[in-house]
């Protein structure tokens, strides 16, 4: 999948939660600190194209294989972080 800018941050250089907020801020065109963890990403304007692109970013950055419906199944940062904690053993301390 393509990324919206060249600001791609490798997953190994930032905590996954911070990486996630950074990627979301690019797709949503807003500062990471303005993305509330319990607000559905669709309310910020996350569309299907951005959601699929973020799925590709997660696969590339973390070596995961995710369903294209991931962001609809986990529509908030809080829910998505919970999913990543479960999918990435040993990462829960870094994600929270």
């Amino acid at each position: 999948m393509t990324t919206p800018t060249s600001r791609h941050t490798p997953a190994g250089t930032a905590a996954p939660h911070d990486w996630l907020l950074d990627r979301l801020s690019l797709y949503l065109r807003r500062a990471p600190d303005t993305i509330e963890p319990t607000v559905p990403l669709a309310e910020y304007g996350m569309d299907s194209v951005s959601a699929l692109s973020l799925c590709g970013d997660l696969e590339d950055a973390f070596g995961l294989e995710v369903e294209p419906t991931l962001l609809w199944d986990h529509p908030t940062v809080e829910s998505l972080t919970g999913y990543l904690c479960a999918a990435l053993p040993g990462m829960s301390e870094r994600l929270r």
Side-chain angles (χ1 to χ4, degrees):
M1 295 272 166
T2 59
T3 56
T5 72
S6 61
R7 282 185 49 207
H8 182 72
T9 302
T13 63
H17 181 263
D18 294 337
W19 179 92
L20 179 60
L21 283 177
D22 183 57
R23 298 308 299 162
L24 286 169
S25 74
L26 294 172
Y27 288 114
L28 300 173
R29 295 188 174 111
R30 60 186 313 127
D33 61 349
T34 66
I35 302 171
E36 294 295 324
T38 58
V39 174
L41 296 171
E43 288 188 25
Y44 291 121
M46 178 66 84
D47 60 17
S48 60
V49 172
S50 296
L52 285 173
S53 294
L54 183 62
C55 286
D57 293 345
L58 287 166
E59 290 179 336
D60 292 343
F62 297 104
L64 297 173
E65 189 172 315
V66 300
E67 294 294 322
T69 59
L70 179 67
L71 268 71
W72 308 124
D73 296 336
H74 302 280
T76 65
V77 171
E78 182 177 76
S79 177
L80 192 52
T81 299
Y83 168 83
L84 290 173
C85 284
L88 299 168
M91 288 286 207
S92 64
E93 310 81 44
R94 291 180 63 202
L95 286 167
R96 303 264 181 216

